[in-house]
Amino acid sequence: MSLLTVEALDARHGLLQAVRGISFTVTAGETVALVGANGAGKTTLLRAIAGAHPLSGGRVTLDGADLAGVPAHRRAALGLALVPEGRRLFAQLTVEENLLLARAAGRRGPWTLETVLGAFPMLQPRRHARAGTLSGGEQQAAAIGRALMTNPRVLLLDEVSLGLAPLAVARVYASLATLIAAGTTIVLVEQDLTRTLATADRILCVLEGQILAEGPAADMTRERITAAYFGLHRDAAGQGGAA
Ligand code: ATP
């Protein structure tokens, strides 16, 4: 049975419909990636799932429970954790303080201060540093670690490699591989196709608020994804149809 279900989700920014009837499911332990050009609606979709942006139609269910009317902080307590674009740590607090604050918002489980620091070794020597003094890669690791402290059933990651140096991206992805091996369920927005194809089980290509193509990562060629990126063909297997 699917752990997360998104059904015919619509979301708007004023008059602009950023997400148009998107449906997909995620099973426990799966890593699903959303790819698409800037402005395709990926961030709005993740925020809508997390309860940080209102739906204008459709529904989201977690383990069969409809989340309509459930605010973002309650969704975190139920097991949905969003790592937003731009990280948004408390700059004046230390890494450890940022992590411990998140613990109070979530569920009990295997992720503790020590297991999170174990999964992100780069944070270990920085645990008493203020978050505002961290490098970009360290901040991203701390932001993912903060989400893990809530012991999420589904981790929603928005552009974790954005603005990071290649070495930092490699380190963050090495830690993600650890999480995936531990059975963490992940929905990932990523611009880097090489990383996406190497990391995800399944790829959803988003264009203009709709899923245009989808399939197992093993079957998704770079050409097929690129075509969907630019709307060069409408995939019969996707939900998009004519826009
Ligand atoms: P990016 O990779 O740039 O974050 P995205 O695929 O995540 O792109 P969204 O950020 O969800 O896309 O944006 C979807 C659409 O909604 C775009 O047309 C964007 O301009 C618009 N949009 C996003 N945020 C707002 C906002 N706060 N106010 C008005 N329009 C917005």
Side-chain angles (χ1 to χ4, degrees):
M1 187 181 130
S2 66
L3 179 54
L4 177 73
T5 305
V6 174
E7 285 176 70
L9 194 151
D10 292 329
R12 314 185 69 92
H13 293 283
L15 291 177
L16 178 92
Q17 188 162 357
V19 178
R20 301 191 283 157
I22 281 188
S23 301
F24 64 95
T25 60
V26 183
T27 54
E30 206 180 13
T31 298
V32 173
L34 301 165
V35 301
N38 286 344
K42 308 175 302 292
T43 294
T44 307
L45 174 60
L46 277 198
R47 285 174 49 78
I49 294 170
H53 190 94
L55 306 193
S56 50
R59 66 180 196 147
V60 178
T61 59
L62 182 65
D63 210 7
D66 192 337
L67 298 181
V70 178
H73 69 276
R74 284 282 310 141
R75 292 187 195 204
L78 291 172
L80 269 182
L82 172 66
V83 178
E85 207 177 332
R87 300 149 206 159
R88 307 214 187 119
L89 297 165
F90 291 105
Q92 296 304 318
L93 300 184
T94 66
V95 169
E96 193 169 303
E97 287 165 343
N98 269 281
L99 295 177
L100 290 174
L101 263 184
R103 184 179 60 178
R107 310 176 328 129
R108 294 281 164 264
W111 293 109
T112 61
L113 191 57
E114 295 313 319
T115 56
V116 166
L117 291 173
F120 292 93
M122 74 173 98
L123 292 181
Q124 193 65 260
R126 306 287 278 144
R127 65 194 287 176
H128 300 300
R130 287 178 200 260
T133 68
L134 302 181
S135 70
E138 290 165 349
Q139 285 190 24
Q140 192 62 75
I144 300 171
R146 180 181 56 181
L148 286 176
M149 289 293 287
T150 67
N151 279 290
R153 306 183 73 186
V154 182
L155 186 59
L156 307 168
L157 298 174
D158 198 356
E159 305 227 13
V160 290
S161 65
L162 196 71
L164 299 186
L167 187 60
V169 175
R171 286 194 180 139
V172 168
Y173 268 85
S175 293
L176 282 188
T178 309
L179 307 189
I180 289 167
T184 312
T185 307
I186 296 177
V187 180
L188 177 79
V189 168
E190 180 55 83
Q191 298 274 1
D192 181 332
L193 269 191
T194 306
R195 294 272 173 209
T196 307
L197 286 167
T199 307
D201 298 309
R202 200 146 51 85
I203 311 269
L204 309 180
C205 300
V206 184
L207 181 79
E208 296 168 2
Q210 296 181 304
I211 294 177
L212 211 64
E214 65 177 289
D219 297 349
M220 293 293 272
T221 60
R222 205 164 250 285
E223 291 68 30
R224 191 167 163 214
I225 295 173
T226 309
Y229 231 82
F230 297 110
L232 298 181
H233 66 75
R234 306 270 161 175
D235 191 319
Q239 308 162 13

